[in-house]
Amino acid sequence: MVSHGNIDSFANMLFGDRRLAAQRYHRVFSEDIYDQDWWTATQDPGKRAYERYLRLLPRLSAVETASNLRELVTLHEQATVVDPHLGALLTVQVNLVLGTLLEQKSPAGEVAALLTELLEGRAVGAYVLTEVGHGSDLNNLETTAEFDPADGGGFILHTPTDTAIKFMPTTAPPPVPGVSRFGIVFARLVVAGVSRGVYPFLVRLVDADGQVRPGITIRRLPEKPGLGMDNALTRFDHVRLTRECLLSHTGTRIDEDGTVSSPIPRDNQVWRAISRVRVGRLCISAMAAAVSRAALSIAVRHSAQRDIASMAGGRVKLLDVPAHHARLLDAVADTYIVSAAVETAIDAFTDGIGEHIDEQGPELTDLVALTKYFATSTALQVSNEVRDRLGAQGTFAHNKIVEYRALRDAAATAEGDSYVIGLLAAYRRLSAPDEWTASARDDLGPCDIDTPADWLVWLGARADYLQHTTLEIYAKSTGDRQTRWDSVYDVALAAADAQLAYRAARTMADRASRLPSGPREVAEQVLTLFAVNQCHTHGADLLPDGPFPKTSRSLRDMRSRLHELLAPHLTELVEAFELGSGSLHTVYDSDTYVAQCANALRLSA
């Protein structure tokens, strides 16, 4: 029997003070304009996403949303569940484009005009960063914007080589009539022949009639299966920009004599220039976690409706078959932890801003990068598991898993390739301290299904040991920096990932400790299942002398027993995601899918 009290407790644990905002957006996205007849799914989801965005925009309080991290993240989560194409569009329009324009000091002229057009839905933007030859390699971008003092001063934007062609940004003409396109284009600022670093520049790309501006060549890239986005190749041929088109959150300007005033600080200059990318990574992390929650919600509804022949005779619900629900419970445990990881990163980012910690500094940058790596990796595992558990139903777009997986794939690349930025964060941890001691292995308490605190200690010990192993191998390696890094990158990333998992588990344990005894015990079993699975999957990393947990029974036995204990709570654990039928719009909504299939045939007769 489902306990609504438990559902409420689990939801509070998952979302904390963001829960009310999530419920508010859930009501918005439950309206008819976001409805979808699963039998007549749209053939142009990209265009539909733009239409929905333009109808949503007046209701967003977009300026306030872009400026409020918790509100912004929650919007992305809820939109992604309803329409992954819309979620992807919002990351560009609200966070990257609007967020960047709002950071400008006293916007005027062209900046103020385009900001107004964007907010009124008369224009959409593109974040034009990566190049054919430079993806995450942003320090070496080749596109140039050379200061030209003639005619009152301005810049000449140019693509000097084929490797400098802008690749991926959504610069193609918008798929809705009467809407123009502009870009925030990142280029190397050149003054008097000297590069002053990478800066964003405001560039009108496509007029409202669909005509591409002179000096700009845009070609839409081939279809990206499963996710309707207008990605394109873009080249600039000596395009002249006015002086005010130079953007900078520090108020950078070029005086008439070529003096650069208020430049972006040289330390970490490129990453300070793309300041909204860190917020974008948080949004994408939350979207990936939302994909995991939504996929599981669909899978549990499916298993509650689907029955199979029992080996003992008669029929049995899939939800009651351990071979089925055990795999879903493992995914639930991963999803609860990854949701806690997102909350950890949001709290750290918000607290850091409040305490005037440099949000572009390595501590927050690496936390956000590793959270994105963790969230997108988890979403890949969960969406794959759910697709298989849905059988044939998982292959159809109207049941969303294919779209969720496509969004996950796009999210893993957007805002920096998840694997690459994870590696970079792991590399910087080579300067972190070695906190492992041999006595830590002996200090571990016995771990069993009812000792969540001991499993939490083990997760921490595992992370410390892997960091120790990383530093030990690196210290013994020889050669240049690249060669030494190549010898240790795998264990370094494993150590960073283990540290993030431990930090997320601590967050979940802390929130679970505030719950009433019943739901607290269930939440602690979920946490324990996660830890047992981590040991089962990654235990070999601890050989030969790492802190393997002290147990009196096998990992298999513990997993099986935890599955038995948690099976009666699977539905309420998933209902705590609060993704009602108004959001998901799948074949498993108001009626059984069998009835809906029969009704579809009657309507076609």
Side-chain angles (χ1 to χ4, degrees):
M1 179 178 179
V2 174
S3 168
H4 293 285
N6 284 358
I7 293 172
D8 193 61
S9 294
F10 297 148
N12 285 331
M13 180 181 69
L14 281 166
F15 304 113
D17 58 5
R18 293 199 303 117
R19 187 181 177 194
L20 289 178
Q23 292 172 336
R24 173 162 40 82
Y25 282 121
H26 173 75
R27 289 192 292 272
V28 170
F29 290 123
S30 296
E31 295 174 1
D32 289 345
I33 65 167
Y34 303 102
D35 202 358
Q36 173 181 301
D37 180 351
W38 66 270
W39 192 259
T40 57
T42 179
Q43 299 301 307
D44 192 348
K47 179 180 179 182
R48 183 186 63 183
Y50 272 94
E51 292 169 345
R52 287 176 167 178
Y53 162 73
L54 293 173
R55 295 186 68 174
L56 176 65
L57 186 61
R59 305 181 56 183
L60 271 186
S61 299
V63 171
E64 291 78 8
T65 300
S67 305
N68 184 320
L69 177 61
R70 297 184 190 279
E71 190 80 13
L72 183 66
V73 167
T74 307
L75 166 66
H76 281 76
E77 285 177 328
Q78 296 297 314
T80 295
V81 171
V82 175
D83 184 346
H85 315 274
L86 175 61
L89 183 59
L90 287 171
T91 63
V92 177
Q93 301 306 318
V94 180
N95 174 53
L96 294 176
V97 174
L98 177 58
T100 298
L101 294 182
L102 292 176
E103 287 180 346
Q104 306 313 302
K105 295 179 179 293
S106 305
E110 189 80 336
V111 178
L114 278 174
L115 181 57
T116 299
E117 291 178 34
L118 178 67
L119 291 171
E120 292 178 353
R122 293 185 287 119
V124 292
Y127 201 73
V128 191
L129 180 57
T130 53
E131 299 174 351
V132 169
H134 307 285
S136 297
D137 182 25
L138 301 180
N139 286 312
N140 295 304
L141 292 180
E142 297 179 72
T143 303
T144 58
E146 186 167 4
F147 178 66
D148 180 6
D151 299 327
F155 305 94
I156 306 300
L157 182 68
H158 185 59
T159 303
T161 67
D162 288 346
T163 53
I165 293 170
K166 292 295 185 179
F167 174 77
M168 277 285 288
T170 54
T171 55
V176 286
V179 177
S180 65
R181 168 88 70 186
F182 66 93
I184 295 175
V185 180
F186 286 82
R188 191 165 297 282
L189 172 61
V190 178
V191 181
V194 178
S195 172
R196 304 303 298 267
V198 173
Y199 280 80
F201 293 83
L202 196 62
V203 184
R204 288 189 181 270
L205 301 171
V206 181
D207 292 331
D209 60 1
Q211 184 68 39
V212 178
R213 284 289 182 107
I216 302 173
T217 304
I218 297 172
R219 181 169 184 178
R220 188 184 296 269
L221 283 164
E223 181 184 359
K224 184 187 292 180
L227 195 63
M229 297 183 69
D230 37 14
N231 304 110
L233 297 170
T234 310
R235 182 189 288 275
F236 303 101
D237 185 14
H238 298 95
V239 177
R240 185 168 186 87
L241 307 175
T242 60
R243 188 184 303 186
E244 65 197 14
C245 289
L246 169 62
L247 305 178
S248 163
H249 61 279
T250 61
T252 305
R253 67 181 187 280
I254 312 296
D255 297 332
E256 291 183 2
D257 61 358
T259 300
V260 180
S261 300
S262 302
I264 296 175
R266 286 185 175 273
D267 67 302
N268 214 17
Q269 190 272 336
V270 173
W271 293 101
R272 293 182 185 280
I274 57 172
S275 57
R276 294 300 296 193
V277 165
R278 283 168 184 76
V279 176
R281 287 177 180 172
L282 272 177
C283 291
I284 283 178
S285 299
M287 292 164 71
V291 161
S292 296
R293 293 193 294 267
L296 281 166
S297 296
I298 294 167
V300 169
R301 292 180 192 179
H302 164 265
S303 62
Q305 293 186 22
R306 184 82 160 90
D307 58 13
I308 61 173
S310 169
M311 292 181 180
R315 300 191 69 78
V316 60
K317 292 288 185 187
L318 264 182
L319 190 63
D320 297 328
V321 177
H324 188 83
H325 68 232
R327 305 286 286 267
L328 295 180
L329 282 167
D330 290 339
V332 166
D334 289 344
T335 299
Y336 266 73
I337 293 295
V338 83
S339 297
V342 171
E343 295 299 311
T344 301
I346 292 172
D347 288 345
F349 205 87
T350 304
D351 292 345
I353 294 173
E355 297 168 8
H356 303 292
I357 295 175
D358 184 4
E359 66 183 72
Q360 314 301 333
E363 182 178 353
L364 288 178
T365 295
D366 292 347
L367 173 62
V368 172
L370 289 169
T371 300
K372 179 175 183 281
Y373 172 72
F374 187 53
T376 54
S377 298
T378 300
L380 175 60
Q381 296 165 8
V382 172
S383 59
N384 281 347
E385 186 64 56
V386 167
R387 204 234 66 80
D388 285 354
R389 299 285 66 74
L390 285 176
Q393 294 285 348
T395 64
F396 290 96
H398 64 255
N399 284 327
K400 290 188 177 289
I401 304 305
V402 175
E403 290 186 341
Y404 288 150
R405 169 61 192 270
L407 177 71
R408 198 286 340 172
D409 291 348
T413 302
E415 317 292 337
D417 182 277
S418 292
Y419 180 59
V420 173
I421 64 175
L423 286 171
L424 291 173
Y427 178 77
R428 282 188 286 269
R429 279 172 50 85
L430 291 174
S431 61
D434 183 354
E435 298 180 346
W436 170 255
T437 60
S439 62
R441 180 172 46 244
D442 301 325
D443 293 340
L444 291 175
C447 290
D448 209 328
I449 63 172
D450 57 353
T451 61
D454 291 311
W455 278 109
L456 193 61
V457 172
W458 173 77
L459 286 169
R462 177 185 67 141
D464 288 344
Y465 175 78
L466 291 174
Q467 174 70 359
H468 164 77
T469 303
T470 301
L471 298 178
E472 192 174 57
I473 296 173
Y474 191 73
K476 294 177 180 177
S477 62
T478 59
D480 59 25
R481 290 174 65 186
Q482 182 65 49
T483 301
R484 296 179 71 197
W485 170 243
D486 290 343
S487 72
V488 76
Y489 75 91
D490 52 346
V491 68
L493 183 56
D497 197 42
Q499 180 62 36
L500 187 83
Y502 169 57
R503 190 167 178 174
R506 277 192 337 204
T507 295
M508 180 171 166
D510 177 63
R511 292 190 175 190
S513 69
R514 306 171 203 167
L515 302 182
S517 58
R520 181 177 68 244
E521 182 178 354
V522 175
E524 289 174 343
Q525 289 167 351
V526 171
L527 193 155
T528 301
L529 178 59
F530 171 79
V532 171
N533 283 337
Q534 287 285 294
C535 186
H536 184 269
T537 304
H538 303 292
D541 293 343
L542 305 179
L543 295 174
D545 58 351
F548 204 83
K550 301 172 183 176
T551 61
S552 59
R553 61 171 113 184
S554 70
L555 293 175
R556 179 192 179 279
D557 287 347
M558 281 189 280
R559 292 181 70 220
S560 295
R561 181 58 183 148
L562 286 165
H563 289 152
E564 290 176 10
L565 292 170
L566 288 169
H569 303 285
L570 174 57
T571 299
E572 61 193 15
L573 283 166
V574 170
E575 286 192 9
F577 300 155
E578 297 193 313
L579 300 176
S581 60
S583 288
L584 289 175
H585 302 294
T586 69
V587 71
Y588 308 107
D589 283 354
S590 58
D591 205 348
T592 69
Y593 77 95
V594 173
Q596 290 198 48
C597 287
N599 188 53
L601 278 177
R602 283 193 294 270
L603 292 175
S604 68

